[in-house]
Amino acid sequence: MAKGSVRKKGKKWYYRFYVRDEQGRSVQKEFAGTENKRETERLLRKAMGEYETGKITGISGEITLAVLLDLWVEEELKPGTVSNGTLMTYQTVVRRIQRHPISAQKLNRLREEQLQEYLDLLSIGGTNPDGTPVKALSPGYFQIFWSVFQHAFRFAVFPKRLLPCNYMQYVTAHRRKEPPQLFTRDSSGLPEHITHAQFLELTDLLRRKRNAALLPIQISYYTGLRLGEVCGLTWEDIHLEEQYLTVRRSMRYNSLRRQMEMGLPKRNSARTVDFCDTLAEILRKERESRCQEPLSAGKIRNYYVKTSEKNRFYYDVHSFSGDFSPPQDFQLLSLVCLRSDGSYESPNTIELMCRAVRKQIPGLENFHFHMLRHTFTTNLLSAGAAPKEVQELLGHADIQTTLNIYAHASRESKRASAKLLDHFF
């Protein structure tokens, strides 16, 4: 029978008992209890009972937080049901955690206070152990870190049985509290949409420069498609006669695999998007110009190939010269958005263009590609489109998301509504 005891440190009681590690040595494990001695003794008895029945392996002294995160990714996250894009996001966060000194801490010495301190650093900001400043993460990005810790420590309790309890149950997600600005001007930033005049100025600039980002910009402005969805469009997805397109996939660069790949769009479901006569004419001219181009041996062609890893499938995108014969399992891609040499237009390249035009067009100092999606939403709702229909065109899971974008970007509409009283009186 394992021997154990409790002791008080500060306001909290801790319990500890001896276990056998992988080498058969007797080592002492200590865990945080509560501020109540009797409750902590109950936790001690429960932990020793679980150890005796084999529910705790007793090897957490040999495993660091970094190793635990790797185990969680390889044994639970990768074989799981999350999308490839979500997997990449989680893996990127895990790598960032592993660059912090807390990741070198062994599980049997890790304390809730250390987890709280690190997560507060992420959510509120502060200073790293090496003295470098840390800015607070956005609430959405911080939530990913929080989710990683929650899932990894639950995984450590079961099925790995490395810990008797989930340390994260004692950690609180804090938020930075900003003081109210009672006497300062509103400086919330530039509007999250662009005017039609700015759109025309932007497209004129790209047309003069013969920039391949022109067509993706036009498609998103008239359909509200996300950047990856635009880059993943093929001519098979576009129906010019009926004037609609189908969003089936999204293109993205997987920084961990160092590979451009196709994946499911957000919400993991296809959707149909109708488009106007203006975009129909743009796409018709683009397709006609492609058909008139002479076939050249040096012209680049794009392909996709299906690969698998840990029961997870990827659709990798590759470009080859026209005179190159790809392997048999490579399938030709008839992408809509291409560069002048025939290679695919990547999301990263378009993002670089968006940064460049900020300095060239007055009023677009805060421009980014997703602003076109917000503009599409605002234009439709301002013109009287039904919110439910706009939600379906955008692929939003919740109609409130659609309305929030409109409320954030419709400054002119609010001003016009306020002036209705002038006509009344």
PDB file of all heavy atoms in Angstrom, residues 149-166:
ATOM      1  N   PHE A 149      -4.419  23.401 -23.548  1.00  0.00           N
ATOM      2  CA  PHE A 149      -4.091  22.995 -22.177  1.00  0.00           C
ATOM      3  C   PHE A 149      -5.199  22.118 -21.592  1.00  0.00           C
ATOM      4  O   PHE A 149      -4.914  21.106 -20.936  1.00  0.00           O
ATOM      5  CB  PHE A 149      -3.863  24.228 -21.299  1.00  0.00           C
ATOM      6  CG  PHE A 149      -2.459  24.760 -21.368  1.00  0.00           C
ATOM      7  CD1 PHE A 149      -2.140  25.842 -22.176  1.00  0.00           C
ATOM      8  CD2 PHE A 149      -1.447  24.178 -20.621  1.00  0.00           C
ATOM      9  CE1 PHE A 149      -0.850  26.324 -22.242  1.00  0.00           C
ATOM     10  CE2 PHE A 149      -0.151  24.651 -20.674  1.00  0.00           C
ATOM     11  CZ  PHE A 149       0.160  25.732 -21.499  1.00  0.00           C
ATOM     12  N   GLN A 150      -6.444  22.490 -21.810  1.00  0.00           N
ATOM     13  CA  GLN A 150      -7.553  21.716 -21.275  1.00  0.00           C
ATOM     14  C   GLN A 150      -7.543  20.289 -21.814  1.00  0.00           C
ATOM     15  O   GLN A 150      -7.658  19.310 -21.057  1.00  0.00           O
ATOM     16  CB  GLN A 150      -8.895  22.389 -21.616  1.00  0.00           C
ATOM     17  CG  GLN A 150      -9.168  23.669 -20.854  1.00  0.00           C
ATOM     18  CD  GLN A 150      -9.607  23.409 -19.412  1.00  0.00           C
ATOM     19  OE1 GLN A 150      -9.631  22.287 -18.939  1.00  0.00           O
ATOM     20  NE2 GLN A 150      -9.962  24.469 -18.699  1.00  0.00           N
ATOM     21  N   HIS A 151      -7.386  20.150 -23.123  1.00  0.00           N
ATOM     22  CA  HIS A 151      -7.414  18.825 -23.737  1.00  0.00           C
ATOM     23  C   HIS A 151      -6.175  18.009 -23.389  1.00  0.00           C
ATOM     24  O   HIS A 151      -6.271  16.796 -23.148  1.00  0.00           O
ATOM     25  CB  HIS A 151      -7.537  18.961 -25.255  1.00  0.00           C
ATOM     26  CG  HIS A 151      -8.900  19.348 -25.724  1.00  0.00           C
ATOM     27  ND1 HIS A 151      -9.282  20.656 -25.906  1.00  0.00           N
ATOM     28  CD2 HIS A 151      -9.981  18.605 -26.047  1.00  0.00           C
ATOM     29  CE1 HIS A 151     -10.530  20.703 -26.326  1.00  0.00           C
ATOM     30  NE2 HIS A 151     -10.988  19.473 -26.413  1.00  0.00           N
ATOM     31  N   ALA A 152      -5.009  18.659 -23.353  1.00  0.00           N
ATOM     32  CA  ALA A 152      -3.775  17.925 -23.064  1.00  0.00           C
ATOM     33  C   ALA A 152      -3.767  17.377 -21.636  1.00  0.00           C
ATOM     34  O   ALA A 152      -3.353  16.229 -21.406  1.00  0.00           O
ATOM     35  CB  ALA A 152      -2.564  18.831 -23.298  1.00  0.00           C
ATOM     36  N   PHE A 153      -4.236  18.151 -20.677  1.00  0.00           N
ATOM     37  CA  PHE A 153      -4.226  17.669 -19.290  1.00  0.00           C
ATOM     38  C   PHE A 153      -5.349  16.656 -19.042  1.00  0.00           C
ATOM     39  O   PHE A 153      -5.197  15.758 -18.216  1.00  0.00           O
ATOM     40  CB  PHE A 153      -4.309  18.848 -18.320  1.00  0.00           C
ATOM     41  CG  PHE A 153      -2.977  19.472 -18.054  1.00  0.00           C
ATOM     42  CD1 PHE A 153      -2.534  20.551 -18.797  1.00  0.00           C
ATOM     43  CD2 PHE A 153      -2.137  18.954 -17.084  1.00  0.00           C
ATOM     44  CE1 PHE A 153      -1.293  21.113 -18.572  1.00  0.00           C
ATOM     45  CE2 PHE A 153      -0.886  19.507 -16.839  1.00  0.00           C
ATOM     46  CZ  PHE A 153      -0.454  20.583 -17.586  1.00  0.00           C
ATOM     47  N   ARG A 154      -6.459  16.800 -19.750  1.00  0.00           N
ATOM     48  CA  ARG A 154      -7.466  15.746 -19.657  1.00  0.00           C
ATOM     49  C   ARG A 154      -6.918  14.438 -20.220  1.00  0.00           C
ATOM     50  O   ARG A 154      -7.129  13.356 -19.662  1.00  0.00           O
ATOM     51  CB  ARG A 154      -8.724  16.159 -20.436  1.00  0.00           C
ATOM     52  CG  ARG A 154      -9.837  15.122 -20.385  1.00  0.00           C
ATOM     53  CD  ARG A 154     -10.791  15.273 -21.536  1.00  0.00           C
ATOM     54  NE  ARG A 154     -10.110  15.288 -22.823  1.00  0.00           N
ATOM     55  CZ  ARG A 154      -9.627  14.203 -23.408  1.00  0.00           C
ATOM     56  NH1 ARG A 154      -9.710  13.016 -22.813  1.00  0.00           N
ATOM     57  NH2 ARG A 154      -9.008  14.298 -24.562  1.00  0.00           N
ATOM     58  N   PHE A 155      -6.162  14.545 -21.313  1.00  0.00           N
ATOM     59  CA  PHE A 155      -5.511  13.391 -21.929  1.00  0.00           C
ATOM     60  C   PHE A 155      -4.493  12.766 -20.975  1.00  0.00           C
ATOM     61  O   PHE A 155      -4.327  11.538 -20.932  1.00  0.00           O
ATOM     62  CB  PHE A 155      -4.834  13.846 -23.222  1.00  0.00           C
ATOM     63  CG  PHE A 155      -3.953  12.836 -23.877  1.00  0.00           C
ATOM     64  CD1 PHE A 155      -4.481  11.777 -24.604  1.00  0.00           C
ATOM     65  CD2 PHE A 155      -2.563  12.949 -23.786  1.00  0.00           C
ATOM     66  CE1 PHE A 155      -3.654  10.851 -25.228  1.00  0.00           C
ATOM     67  CE2 PHE A 155      -1.735  12.035 -24.400  1.00  0.00           C
ATOM     68  CZ  PHE A 155      -2.278  10.981 -25.120  1.00  0.00           C
ATOM     69  N   ALA A 156      -3.801  13.619 -20.183  1.00  0.00           N
ATOM     70  CA  ALA A 156      -2.813  13.099 -19.224  1.00  0.00           C
ATOM     71  C   ALA A 156      -3.475  12.299 -18.115  1.00  0.00           C
ATOM     72  O   ALA A 156      -2.904  11.330 -17.605  1.00  0.00           O
ATOM     73  CB  ALA A 156      -2.004  14.257 -18.631  1.00  0.00           C
ATOM     74  N   VAL A 157      -4.710  12.712 -17.738  1.00  0.00           N
ATOM     75  CA  VAL A 157      -5.441  11.969 -16.704  1.00  0.00           C
ATOM     76  C   VAL A 157      -5.999  10.682 -17.286  1.00  0.00           C
ATOM     77  O   VAL A 157      -5.852   9.594 -16.716  1.00  0.00           O
ATOM     78  CB  VAL A 157      -6.569  12.843 -16.122  1.00  0.00           C
ATOM     79  CG1 VAL A 157      -7.399  12.042 -15.121  1.00  0.00           C
ATOM     80  CG2 VAL A 157      -5.982  14.080 -15.444  1.00  0.00           C
ATOM     81  N   PHE A 158      -6.640  10.793 -18.441  1.00  0.00           N
ATOM     82  CA  PHE A 158      -7.169   9.606 -19.124  1.00  0.00           C
ATOM     83  C   PHE A 158      -7.170   9.871 -20.625  1.00  0.00           C
ATOM     84  O   PHE A 158      -7.600  10.946 -21.057  1.00  0.00           O
ATOM     85  CB  PHE A 158      -8.593   9.289 -18.642  1.00  0.00           C
ATOM     86  CG  PHE A 158      -9.141   8.025 -19.218  1.00  0.00           C
ATOM     87  CD1 PHE A 158      -8.830   6.796 -18.638  1.00  0.00           C
ATOM     88  CD2 PHE A 158      -9.933   8.044 -20.356  1.00  0.00           C
ATOM     89  CE1 PHE A 158      -9.317   5.628 -19.179  1.00  0.00           C
ATOM     90  CE2 PHE A 158     -10.422   6.877 -20.905  1.00  0.00           C
ATOM     91  CZ  PHE A 158     -10.109   5.660 -20.313  1.00  0.00           C
ATOM     92  N   PRO A 159      -6.589   8.990 -21.402  1.00  0.00           N
ATOM     93  CA  PRO A 159      -6.255   7.595 -21.084  1.00  0.00           C
ATOM     94  C   PRO A 159      -4.818   7.342 -20.616  1.00  0.00           C
ATOM     95  O   PRO A 159      -4.487   6.208 -20.287  1.00  0.00           O
ATOM     96  CB  PRO A 159      -6.486   6.900 -22.427  1.00  0.00           C
ATOM     97  CG  PRO A 159      -6.093   7.933 -23.430  1.00  0.00           C
ATOM     98  CD  PRO A 159      -6.524   9.257 -22.865  1.00  0.00           C
ATOM     99  N   LYS A 160      -3.940   8.390 -20.577  1.00  0.00           N
ATOM    100  CA  LYS A 160      -2.522   8.122 -20.282  1.00  0.00           C
ATOM    101  C   LYS A 160      -2.268   7.804 -18.816  1.00  0.00           C
ATOM    102  O   LYS A 160      -1.267   7.179 -18.476  1.00  0.00           O
ATOM    103  CB  LYS A 160      -1.667   9.319 -20.701  1.00  0.00           C
ATOM    104  CG  LYS A 160      -1.703   9.614 -22.187  1.00  0.00           C
ATOM    105  CD  LYS A 160      -1.366   8.397 -23.037  1.00  0.00           C
ATOM    106  CE  LYS A 160       0.101   8.023 -22.928  1.00  0.00           C
ATOM    107  NZ  LYS A 160       0.440   6.881 -23.810  1.00  0.00           N
ATOM    108  N   ARG A 161      -3.147   8.272 -17.909  1.00  0.00           N
ATOM    109  CA  ARG A 161      -3.006   8.004 -16.476  1.00  0.00           C
ATOM    110  C   ARG A 161      -1.648   8.482 -15.940  1.00  0.00           C
ATOM    111  O   ARG A 161      -1.008   7.816 -15.139  1.00  0.00           O
ATOM    112  CB  ARG A 161      -3.186   6.511 -16.185  1.00  0.00           C
ATOM    113  CG  ARG A 161      -4.550   5.974 -16.571  1.00  0.00           C
ATOM    114  CD  ARG A 161      -4.746   4.548 -16.069  1.00  0.00           C
ATOM    115  NE  ARG A 161      -6.086   4.078 -16.346  1.00  0.00           N
ATOM    116  CZ  ARG A 161      -6.414   3.293 -17.360  1.00  0.00           C
ATOM    117  NH1 ARG A 161      -5.475   2.907 -18.213  1.00  0.00           N
ATOM    118  NH2 ARG A 161      -7.655   2.899 -17.535  1.00  0.00           N
ATOM    119  N   LEU A 162      -1.249   9.654 -16.387  1.00  0.00           N
ATOM    120  CA  LEU A 162       0.004  10.250 -15.905  1.00  0.00           C
ATOM    121  C   LEU A 162      -0.238  11.126 -14.685  1.00  0.00           C
ATOM    122  O   LEU A 162       0.684  11.394 -13.926  1.00  0.00           O
ATOM    123  CB  LEU A 162       0.633  11.095 -17.020  1.00  0.00           C
ATOM    124  CG  LEU A 162       1.039  10.347 -18.297  1.00  0.00           C
ATOM    125  CD1 LEU A 162       1.488  11.332 -19.364  1.00  0.00           C
ATOM    126  CD2 LEU A 162       2.139   9.349 -17.995  1.00  0.00           C
ATOM    127  N   LEU A 163      -1.474  11.598 -14.510  1.00  0.00           N
ATOM    128  CA  LEU A 163      -1.812  12.501 -13.422  1.00  0.00           C
ATOM    129  C   LEU A 163      -3.110  12.031 -12.763  1.00  0.00           C
ATOM    130  O   LEU A 163      -3.967  11.440 -13.429  1.00  0.00           O
ATOM    131  CB  LEU A 163      -1.988  13.932 -13.943  1.00  0.00           C
ATOM    132  CG  LEU A 163      -0.755  14.605 -14.555  1.00  0.00           C
ATOM    133  CD1 LEU A 163      -1.146  15.917 -15.211  1.00  0.00           C
ATOM    134  CD2 LEU A 163       0.319  14.837 -13.506  1.00  0.00           C
ATOM    135  N   PRO A 164      -3.263  12.329 -11.470  1.00  0.00           N
ATOM    136  CA  PRO A 164      -4.501  11.922 -10.784  1.00  0.00           C
ATOM    137  C   PRO A 164      -5.673  12.838 -11.069  1.00  0.00           C
ATOM    138  O   PRO A 164      -6.825  12.459 -10.862  1.00  0.00           O
ATOM    139  CB  PRO A 164      -4.105  11.979  -9.310  1.00  0.00           C
ATOM    140  CG  PRO A 164      -3.054  13.037  -9.251  1.00  0.00           C
ATOM    141  CD  PRO A 164      -2.284  12.923 -10.537  1.00  0.00           C
ATOM    142  N   CYS A 165      -5.401  14.065 -11.511  1.00  0.00           N
ATOM    143  CA  CYS A 165      -6.485  15.002 -11.788  1.00  0.00           C
ATOM    144  C   CYS A 165      -6.024  16.005 -12.829  1.00  0.00           C
ATOM    145  O   CYS A 165      -4.834  16.148 -13.098  1.00  0.00           O
ATOM    146  CB  CYS A 165      -6.933  15.731 -10.518  1.00  0.00           C
ATOM    147  SG  CYS A 165      -5.656  16.801  -9.803  1.00  0.00           S
ATOM    148  N   ASN A 166      -6.977  16.694 -13.419  1.00  0.00           N
ATOM    149  CA  ASN A 166      -6.699  17.713 -14.423  1.00  0.00           C
ATOM    150  C   ASN A 166      -6.334  19.021 -13.717  1.00  0.00           C
ATOM    151  O   ASN A 166      -7.187  19.665 -13.116  1.00  0.00           O
ATOM    152  CB  ASN A 166      -7.931  17.896 -15.313  1.00  0.00           C
ATOM    153  CG  ASN A 166      -7.665  18.830 -16.474  1.00  0.00           C
ATOM    154  OD1 ASN A 166      -6.688  19.572 -16.485  1.00  0.00           O
ATOM    155  ND2 ASN A 166      -8.530  18.796 -17.460  1.00  0.00           N
TER     156      ASN A 166
END
